Amino acid sequence: MEIIKSVKKLREITAQARDKGLSIGLVPTMGALHDGHISLVDRARSENDIVVVSVFVNPTQFNNPDDLRTYPRTEEADCRRLADARVDYAFIPTVEEIYPEPDTRVFDLGPVAQVMEGAMRPGHFNGVAQIVSRLFDIVRPHRAYFGEKDFQQIAVIRRMVATEGFDIQIIDCPIKREPDGLALSSRNVRLTPAHRAEAPKIHAILAASVADRATKTVAQVTADVIAAIDASPLMETEYYQIVDPVTLQPVTSWADTPHPVGCVTVWCGDVRLIDNIKY
Ligand code: AMP
């Protein structure tokens, strides 16, 4: 595996690969890699000749300076994991390399970006669109891999790809979980032992609510999930919304869409966790 720091060099390498007819898969990450990230890498490895993984904590998508400051950074361990996963190129640029000038682009991300994470984290998805479009422009992959843990993010990226005219296939990959059900996340290392012990309840509560679909309304299930999470003294729900998987708009009846998705954000101590469940 080669570690690349330079935009120019990565551009040259990927252009040459494309000219030779090789397929390129890109996995964008912010590092502190875990098995969830590696599941995306494995999928990319199985479907492409060349696999590029970016490791870049993108400042423009953080609306909370403390979150950016405390975001875990584990570059050496990340490189070992990526080499073990037979990645061809790890792209680990500096902030100056990615943004030699401040990125002032404002993307038209439409209604998918206005609800849930978009409403709670102003500017977050515009920052995501800035970095992902920049990576797409540098690497010009055939396929790019994203995790369903960030369910809304995938919809936003699909919209960005359509409006910017990228010819890139967006591949969504299922959520990887700890054996106790907690969705793997780089932020999990910041949980105290007590909060780490409590956090698996999030998935347990969401999973248990799926059966309630048969007997309760969307509004009842939503209220019950929030009440069950908030019953824990260590957790507080920021939002729980049951939405259409394509438009991300809230559904009011189970009949609104065949595949509703419940999206949750929970404060577990001072760590903000997100998860979702398919109904
Ligand atoms: P991040 O480093 O948090 O920006 O995540 C990089 C990519 O890995 C994103 O597409 C995430 O959705 C994905 N990802 C993060 N956690 C998981 C997980 N537990 N299962 C599957 N994919 C994940």
Side-chain angles (χ1 to χ4, degrees):
M1 182 181 82
E2 195 173 337
I3 297 172
I4 312 274
K5 302 262 175 194
S6 147
V7 166
K8 187 165 172 279
K9 178 142 188 233
L10 186 61
R11 231 186 242 292
E12 284 166 8
I13 287 170
T14 50
Q16 278 171 17
R18 246 189 333 274
D19 288 349
K20 284 193 209 145
L22 300 176
S23 61
I24 303 171
L26 171 68
V27 183
T29 82
M30 297 204 300
L33 300 179
H34 50 64
D35 288 349
H37 297 113
I38 300 303
S39 71
L40 274 55
V41 173
D42 289 344
R43 176 93 188 263
R45 182 72 282 170
S46 73
E47 295 178 348
N48 299 277
D49 298 314
I50 303 283
V51 175
V52 179
V53 178
S54 59
V55 175
F56 179 65
V57 182
N58 173 39
T60 74
Q61 74 188 68
F62 283 80
N63 56 327
N64 175 345
D66 274 346
D67 191 23
L68 174 60
R69 193 175 46 78
T70 59
Y71 200 83
R73 288 161 166 92
T74 59
E75 188 174 319
E76 260 181 48
D78 290 350
C79 287
R80 277 197 299 274
R81 292 209 69 167
L82 294 177
D84 287 348
R86 296 185 300 114
V87 165
D88 297 291
Y89 300 102
F91 180 47
I92 313 185
T94 61
V95 173
E96 295 73 31
E97 184 70 15
I98 289 290
Y99 300 119
E101 304 284 337
D103 192 337
T104 54
R105 291 173 298 162
V106 177
F107 289 81
D108 169 17
L109 300 172
V112 290
Q114 282 159 17
V115 293
M116 300 192 289
E117 293 301 279
M120 304 311 297
R121 303 181 68 188
H124 168 65
F125 283 132
N126 197 63
V128 169
Q130 287 174 339
I131 184 58
V132 173
S133 64
R134 184 103 175 90
L135 292 169
F136 283 2
D137 174 60
I138 297 164
V139 177
R140 294 186 46 216
H142 298 84
R143 302 179 191 87
Y145 296 80
F146 295 90
E148 286 184 341
K149 184 170 90 69
D150 300 277
F151 192 81
Q152 188 177 6
Q153 173 171 272
I154 298 181
V156 170
I157 286 164
R158 286 190 195 284
R159 160 93 183 187
M160 187 274 289
V161 163
T163 56
E164 298 295 304
F166 284 112
D167 183 15
I168 296 171
Q169 203 184 335
I170 302 302
I171 307 218
D172 29 341
C173 305
I175 303 176
K176 277 273 178 189
R177 298 182 180 281
E178 298 282 5
D180 61 16
L182 177 63
L184 294 180
S185 165
S186 304
R187 290 185 176 88
N188 290 352
V189 296
R190 294 187 44 229
L191 294 166
T192 68
H195 288 99
R196 173 62 188 84
E198 196 75 348
K201 284 188 183 166
I202 301 167
H203 174 62
I205 290 165
L206 296 192
S209 80
V210 172
D212 293 345
R213 178 184 173 152
T215 54
K216 295 181 187 170
T217 64
V218 170
Q220 280 169 331
V221 170
T222 304
D224 289 355
V225 163
I226 293 171
I229 294 172
D230 290 353
S232 160
L234 298 183
M235 299 200 289
E236 193 179 346
T237 314
E238 188 173 270
Y239 65 78
Y240 184 59
Q241 278 187 24
I242 299 174
V243 302
D244 178 284
V246 176
T247 68
L248 277 291
Q249 302 309 300
V251 297
T252 50
S253 146
W254 297 114
D256 286 356
T257 166
H259 303 293
V261 177
C263 298
V264 77
T265 291
V266 178
W267 283 95
C268 196
D270 58 5
V271 183
R272 190 174 181 275
L273 299 177
I274 68 171
D275 203 345
N276 61 77
I277 195 92
K278 294 179 183 179
Y279 282 93

